[in-house]
Amino acid sequence: MSQILHGLAVQTEILLHLKPRIQKLSRPPGLAVVLVGHDPASEIYVRSKVKTCAELGILGETVRPPETATTEELLAIVEGLNRRQDIDAIMVQMPLPGHVDTRRVLEAVAADKDADGFHPTNVGYLVAGRPAPRACTPAGIIELLKYYGIPMAGQHAVVLGRSDIVGKPMALMLLHENATVTICHSRTRNLPEVCCQADLLVAAIGRTAFVTEEFIKPGATVIDVGINRVTDAAEAARLGRAEEFASKGKTVVGDVHPLDMARVARAYTPVPGGVGPLTIAMLMTNTVELAERHLCSA
Ligand code: GUN
């Protein structure tokens, strides 16, 4: 029987430890989330982030420019948030509309208010192994592995995907935990063979059930970062989600084939309920850490 790694249990533990730290501060930590337009998935993520803020006693503010907002308008919003004393952390929800210069907007967020760890200064600190806000999803995965006592040191970790949000920071964080790290991607030759060498496989490639049994070494730990909507009944059935599909007309599946993962891995994160809750927990952690920094240097 394989072990299911529940993100919610880890989230609960992380949030529990944040509460007393928040209560010690002279004012509530402040997180501003910039949500451009009405992308349905982003709306759901942002609502759940703001709700968690309220539960913890963090000031969670959503700024909602229209879909048509220009790069210059978004830069002005971010610069306004940079100047506000009550805002410790700023998150610009991705993806931004196609006409916006995403890099310019992300780099406008002050490095000491960077809730996502995306600013080049903080990426540099991550490379150097120095304290700074860390990208939330990979930081949450490290916390999950520690919580469940899954060893990283000396293990061969394979990260499938090279995004700035997950793949690259994940590889660096695993390296700092003394894993031997391979990064692979859509252009890697013999992808299944490379992945199959992993003691720890992190799938973050954004393709529905792309990772199947020939990618997974029997007994490996598999972390599935993907969140993919399946709207085709036959595909849902093939992925073991026929029942859910019949009742809801859709299902959400990760980057790993759920049936293969459950059969071959020793331990794995389910989708949903695995990695998702950790991203929120680490966003809250980054916000509290930034507030602590601002308030002790005030
Ligand atoms: N969209 C999907 N994941 C993320 C994330 O971690 N941060 C931001 N800002 N947007 C996202």
Side-chain angles (χ1 to χ4, degrees), residues 156-161 171 174 179-184 188 194-195 197 200:
H156 187 184
V158 174
V159 179
L160 177 52
L174 288 164
T180 302
V181 182
T182 301
I183 305 178
C184 51
T188 299
V194 177
C195 291
Q197 289 167 22
L200 173 61

Side-chain angles (χ1 to χ4, degrees), residues 42 45 49 91-95 106 116 118 136-137 165 279:
S42 294
Y45 297 146
K49 286 165 187 169
M91 200 204 99
V92 181
Q93 181 68 35
M94 296 291 117
L106 290 183
D116 265 319
F118 291 169
C136 298
T137 300
I165 296 183
T279 304

